[in-house]
Amino acid sequence: MSQKLNELRDQRGKLVTEARAIIDKAEAEKRGLTAEEQGKCDELITKQEEIRGHIEREMKLVEAERSAAEETLRIKDDSKGKPADAVRALTGAASEEYRNAFYKMIASGQSGMNGLNADEVRALQSDISTSGGYLVAPMQMVEGLIKALDNQLFIRQFATKFSVPTAASLGAASLDNDPADADWTSELGTGSEDSTMSFGRRELYPHPVAKRIKISNKLLRQVSGIEALVNSRLAYKFAVTQEKAFMTGSGSNQPLGLFTASADGIPTSRDVSTGNTATAFTFDGLINAKYSLKGQYHNTAQWIFHRDAIKSLALIKDGDGQYMWQQAKTLSDPDMLLGRPVHMSEYAPNTFTSGLYVGMFGDFSNYWIADALDMQVQRLVELYAETNQTGLIGRMESDGMPVLAEAFARIKLG
């Protein structure tokens, strides 16, 4: 599996190199890209992003296979010393035992179950009704689930998190304005009285989030682990709801987002558009965004862009003809832009029109999250008894907001 990951990484590197070669050729000839070259460039960049997705999926698959192998060993250990029927209860009609018994029965005929031993007969009869039901061919199930790739969620892992299980809100004093600089004065002088120093307060009120799902009791009986699957998907979807709010939330009964201009979070004074055009950001615009942050933030600040923006970023050069974009050197490392990590989010803005936001550079530890109730799932049995269903209700309470505006620079088109 490691070999496959390395091959994918090499493929991605070759595609990026090929795209850059097209641009370098046009620049060497002091001309713009032809329509054909532009189309080829876009195609190559799209393909390398697809391979990046394959790499991420492959890494997740490696982890899933490791987990599945551990689970298989656990089931084998649990089955030792148990009757054959108890073992079959762990595997069901999709087991290899059941399939072998079925096909032997088809080959030898039903009369007397010729060629089948007692265990194989029980394998058929314990899973399917003996009144002819075992004539139905067994279904062969594979481990895993067919589903789209989960979107990346990362704000919570970089933010500063607080737990407030008993209080109604989380508050913190803020130094909104420093005192003016000290005065040069005489030995007995005290300097002028300061009138600029002021304090404020940041306050977060965890808001409730909920979702209800009903599952057929028949499905619960027939599909092993279906309830655990639903619980895990609920947890993921709650995380998605939070991530969207952490990015673009209004702050009204929900978190205040990073891309929402607000005097309570990041005001418009932290927007950087100088150097950008009305439809795209530029090398100068990105430099302006990075250095609008104080140098003290540069060691911890990171970039956020939508994948549509990343496609353009990969082609931007500096004044010396060097690409700003630096592909990750190892599979576990992020790609880099101007020396800092880049994160790709499906929930970052991606409309390239004058006056709109298209990315951000910031220290995300200055985004605070207050959790009053961690993700919980309540099981409802009696409420849906008439429809032969079981209900699951997920709940949590959380809030979030940027607490220090100067730690962020929002990239805006000109």
Side-chain angles (χ1 to χ4, degrees):
M1 195 63 69
S2 175
Q3 177 65 28
K4 184 173 183 180
L5 285 170
N6 288 330
E7 290 174 358
L8 288 171
R9 182 170 172 269
D10 289 342
Q11 289 174 23
R12 184 183 179 221
K14 290 177 182 177
L15 290 170
V16 173
T17 300
E18 190 175 345
R20 286 180 172 174
I22 294 173
I23 296 173
D24 289 344
K25 181 176 182 293
E27 290 183 350
E29 297 173 359
K30 297 182 179 180
R31 60 176 176 81
L33 294 176
T34 65
E36 182 180 355
E37 288 172 331
Q38 184 65 58
K40 181 63 175 177
C41 235
D42 290 345
E43 179 185 352
L44 290 168
I45 293 170
T46 299
K47 284 183 178 178
Q48 70 88 21
E49 280 302 323
E50 290 175 355
I51 291 178
R52 178 190 176 98
H54 289 329
I55 291 173
E56 292 169 353
R57 287 193 291 273
E58 196 68 30
M59 292 178 71
K60 289 183 179 179
L61 181 58
V62 169
E63 176 60 24
E65 287 175 338
R66 182 196 62 76
S67 178
E70 291 178 353
E71 179 66 13
T72 299
L73 290 174
R74 185 191 66 78
I75 290 177
K76 287 181 178 179
D77 288 342
D78 289 346
S79 67
K80 289 178 181 177
K82 295 182 180 179
D85 288 343
V87 177
R88 278 190 292 273
L90 292 173
T91 56
S95 68
E96 183 178 359
E97 178 189 14
Y98 185 93
R99 291 195 300 275
N100 290 339
F102 173 83
Y103 293 125
K104 279 188 179 181
M105 183 200 70
I106 293 298
S108 59
Q110 294 184 57
S111 177
M113 291 297 179
N114 296 331
L116 276 71
N117 62 38
D119 281 344
E120 288 170 334
V121 173
R122 282 198 300 273
L124 291 172
Q125 295 180 344
S126 64
D127 292 286
I128 305 294
S129 169
T130 57
S131 59
Y134 50 75
L135 296 178
V136 179
M139 176 184 292
Q140 180 168 339
M141 298 292 290
V142 296
E143 293 293 332
L145 178 70
I146 300 172
K147 67 177 184 66
L149 185 67
D150 290 347
N151 291 336
Q152 291 182 321
L153 310 171
F154 57 85
I155 295 297
R156 179 173 278 275
Q157 62 182 294
F158 298 127
T160 300
K161 298 172 285 294
F162 299 91
S163 179
V164 286
T166 57
S169 65
L170 172 71
S174 62
L175 178 61
D176 289 352
N177 293 289
D178 262 332
D181 294 345
D183 303 316
W184 292 103
T185 185
S186 63
E187 179 183 356
L188 301 179
T190 60
S192 61
E193 181 182 345
D194 183 74
S195 60
T196 58
M197 187 176 183
S198 63
F199 295 89
R201 183 176 69 179
R202 297 291 184 269
E203 193 163 3
L204 288 86
Y205 296 87
H207 307 293
V209 187
K211 176 61 70 175
R212 176 175 54 182
I213 293 178
K214 293 186 290 185
I215 311 173
S216 160
N217 287 334
K218 182 177 181 180
L219 187 63
L220 285 172
R221 291 194 310 270
Q222 292 184 336
V223 180
S224 174
I226 189 66
E227 188 169 342
L229 169 64
V230 172
N231 286 340
S232 69
R233 298 315 294 168
L234 267 177
Y236 169 68
K237 285 301 184 179
F238 271 67
V240 167
T241 296
Q242 282 194 314
E243 185 84 354
K244 290 178 180 177
F246 296 157
M247 291 284 193
T248 57
S250 66
S252 177
N253 295 321
Q254 61 180 263
L256 178 62
L258 292 160
F259 289 99
T260 301
S262 170
D264 295 326
I266 306 176
T268 55
S269 60
R270 297 304 305 154
D271 296 347
V272 181
S273 60
T274 304
N276 294 329
T277 71
T279 57
F281 38 62
T282 64
F283 171 75
D284 289 346
L286 293 168
I287 288 289
N288 288 331
K290 178 176 180 179
Y291 289 98
S292 70
L293 263 64
K294 294 179 180 178
Q296 294 91 320
Y297 294 113
H298 286 189
N299 288 335
T300 51
Q302 304 178 76
W303 301 92
I304 292 180
F305 294 101
H306 188 275
R307 57 190 162 90
D308 292 341
I310 296 239
K311 182 169 70 172
S312 300
L313 284 170
L315 300 178
I316 298 178
K317 291 183 177 181
D318 62 18
D320 297 324
Q322 300 297 315
Y323 287 98
M324 293 192 305
W325 185 266
Q326 297 173 326
Q327 183 180 332
K329 295 180 179 179
T330 65
L331 294 173
S332 59
D333 292 335
D335 292 329
M336 305 289 280
L337 176 66
L338 295 176
R340 296 305 304 155
V342 182
H343 297 284
M344 183 168 58
S345 172
E346 290 295 304
Y347 309 112
N350 66 329
T351 301
F352 296 88
T353 303
S354 178
L356 298 184
Y357 299 130
V358 291
M360 175 170 285
F361 183 62
D363 178 356
F364 299 106
S365 68
N366 288 287
Y367 191 93
W368 284 14
I369 297 173
D371 296 320
L373 177 67
D374 290 335
M375 170 71 182
Q376 295 183 354
V377 177
Q378 182 179 5
R379 201 169 191 269
L380 306 177
V381 178
E382 298 299 330
L383 183 60
Y384 302 111
E386 287 187 350
T387 55
N388 195 31
Q389 293 173 305
T390 294
L392 297 174
I393 298 180
R395 301 182 192 277
M396 73 176 303
E397 293 180 11
S398 185
D399 195 10
M401 68 181 298
V403 297
L404 187 60
E406 73 168 25
F408 301 95
R410 263 190 314 245
I411 303 171
K412 189 176 183 179
L413 295 184

